[in-house]
């Protein structure tokens, strides 16, 4: 997968060169390119923002640099399937695990990191000519720009790509790929500051361990994220596990 990120703060994306994603980039599994939007300005001050039409506080990102930057990623006369352009925005479709799975299937993802009050809307409209454009929000809270959102999305998406994480088995049991949240995990020592690891985990009975973990998942999800399950589901989950 090719990943392009356009930002006025390219250094914000530096952490993507670390750990598993950095290694995947070195191994050629990911082709990660971070571009500075200011490289597509034509004035000596490398201006990327201006005052909003209609008035109001703050500044808006000018269309011209964005148009040139997007054309550099995908020229108007390019052939082949359109890349997907993700535009982080508080007004976007909320990012979730399902979207991560869907985007992990793409060959080429482009991320446009806005700042200030946002990007001139005509850029999004223009981009639809050469990209499949998806405005995306990572949650119902307000950030100062799109870079943090891109970090979240790139990590959630890239880890689903074969070869990026060492053990694909670990993708199978994860929260949000299942309805239920993760069960609690423990490691040595068995006793720590007067707190013991649950006995069932020390015994090696895999069936009992599995049931313990499933019960913990149901308890946690019912307590912390009742929106993910209904009471009916809890009963059917219990019934299904009992019959297993
Ligand atoms: C604060 N400031 C005036 C109000 C409108 C937003 C603006 C800041 N800002 C500029 C570009 C930009 C992109 C994404 C986000 C963003 N916020 N929350 C999310 N879940 C986001 C995503 N994904 C915020 C952004």
């Amino acid at each position: 997968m090719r990943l392009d990120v356009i930002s006025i703060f390219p250094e914000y994306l530096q952490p993507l060169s670390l750990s598993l994603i950095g290694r995947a980039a070195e191994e050629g599994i990911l082709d990660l390119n971070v571009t500075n939007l200011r490289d597509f300005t034509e004035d000596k001050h490398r201006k990327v923002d201006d005052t909003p039409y209609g008035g109001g506080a703050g500044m808006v990102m000018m269309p011209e640099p964005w148009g040139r930057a997007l054309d550099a990623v995908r020229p108007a006369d390019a052939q082949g399937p359109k890349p997907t352009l993700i535009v982080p925005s508080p007004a976007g479709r909320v990012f979730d695990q399902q979207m991560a799975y869907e985007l992990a299937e793409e060959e080429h993802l482009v991320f446009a990191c806005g700042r200030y009050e946002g990007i001139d809307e005509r850029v999004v409209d223009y981009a639809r000519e050469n990209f499949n454009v998806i405005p995306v929000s990572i949650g119902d809270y307000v950030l100062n720009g799109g870079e943090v959102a891109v970090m979240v999305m790139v990590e959630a998406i890239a880890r689903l790509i074969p070869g990026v994480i060492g053990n694909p088995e670990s993708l199978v049991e994860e929260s949000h790929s299942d309805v239920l949240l993760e069960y609690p995990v423990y490691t040595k020592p068995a006793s720590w500051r007067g707190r013991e690891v649950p006995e069932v985990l020390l015994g090696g009975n895999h069936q009992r361990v599995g049931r313990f973990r499933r019960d913990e998942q149901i308890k946690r999800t019912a307590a912390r994220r009742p929106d993910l399950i209904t009471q009916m589901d809890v009963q059917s989950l219990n019934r299904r596990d009992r019959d297993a």
Side-chain angles (χ1 to χ4, degrees):
M1 178 188 284
R2 178 179 165 181
L3 297 151
D4 284 285
V5 184
I6 305 167
S7 167
I8 59 171
F9 295 124
E11 60 275 16
Y12 228 109
L13 286 302
Q14 266 306 306
L16 291 177
S17 63
L18 302 173
S19 188
L20 298 178
I21 293 174
R23 189 180 64 193
E26 284 167 13
E27 292 173 354
I29 298 170
L30 299 175
D31 173 12
L32 178 61
N33 311 281
V34 180
T35 304
N36 188 336
L37 180 69
R38 292 192 191 277
D39 293 345
F40 295 92
T41 58
E42 295 182 344
D43 65 299
K44 66 178 178 180
H45 299 295
R46 294 164 61 86
K47 184 177 169 64
V48 294
D49 64 300
D50 208 331
T51 53
Y53 277 119
M59 304 292 273
V60 172
M61 298 193 94
M62 298 155 60
E64 298 97 326
W66 277 107
R68 296 186 200 106
L70 292 172
D71 289 349
V73 169
R74 168 143 173 132
D77 60 356
Q79 302 303 310
K82 289 182 180 179
T84 294
L85 175 65
I86 307 291
V87 185
S89 164
R93 179 177 149 203
V94 176
F95 184 73
D96 61 9
Q97 191 66 29
Q98 180 56 39
M99 192 187 294
Y101 281 118
E102 291 165 6
L103 294 175
E105 297 294 319
E106 298 288 334
E107 283 300 314
H108 187 186
L109 295 179
V110 185
F111 295 87
C113 298
R115 280 273 157 175
Y116 309 103
E117 297 304 307
I119 301 171
D120 185 302
E121 191 64 20
R122 291 170 293 177
V123 172
V124 176
D125 184 56
Y126 168 74
R128 295 192 196 284
E129 294 177 13
N130 296 309
F131 299 86
N132 299 313
V133 179
I134 313 174
V136 178
S137 166
I138 62 165
D140 294 333
Y141 38 81
V142 182
L143 302 170
N144 291 329
E147 287 80 3
V148 167
V150 169
M151 298 288 288
V152 166
M153 289 188 272
V154 167
E155 174 148 329
I157 294 163
R159 65 193 303 277
L160 300 175
I161 295 169
V164 173
I165 67 170
N167 175 13
E169 274 300 300
S170 59
L171 292 176
V172 173
E173 280 195 342
E174 290 182 338
S175 285
H176 300 294
S177 54
D178 183 1
V179 167
L180 300 174
L181 300 182
E182 300 268 349
Y183 50 77
V185 291
Y186 304 86
T187 188
K188 294 184 281 296
S191 180
W192 175 72
R193 296 190 180 182
R195 290 166 176 79
E196 312 303 320
V197 170
E199 185 66 33
V200 64
L201 300 179
L202 305 177
N205 180 324
H206 294 300
Q207 191 175 23
R208 288 190 62 220
V209 169
R211 177 171 296 285
F212 167 81
R213 285 174 168 174
R214 194 67 175 176
D215 289 349
E216 289 298 307
Q217 282 184 282
I218 293 170
K219 281 193 290 186
R220 261 188 176 185
T221 307
R224 299 180 186 178
R225 289 295 305 275
D227 59 298
L228 292 179
I229 51 176
T230 63
Q231 195 48 41
M232 174 64 74
D233 290 352
V234 172
Q235 288 161 1
S236 64
L237 282 166
N238 280 325
R239 190 168 45 250
R240 185 176 67 181
D241 289 358
R242 211 176 17 257
D243 300 344

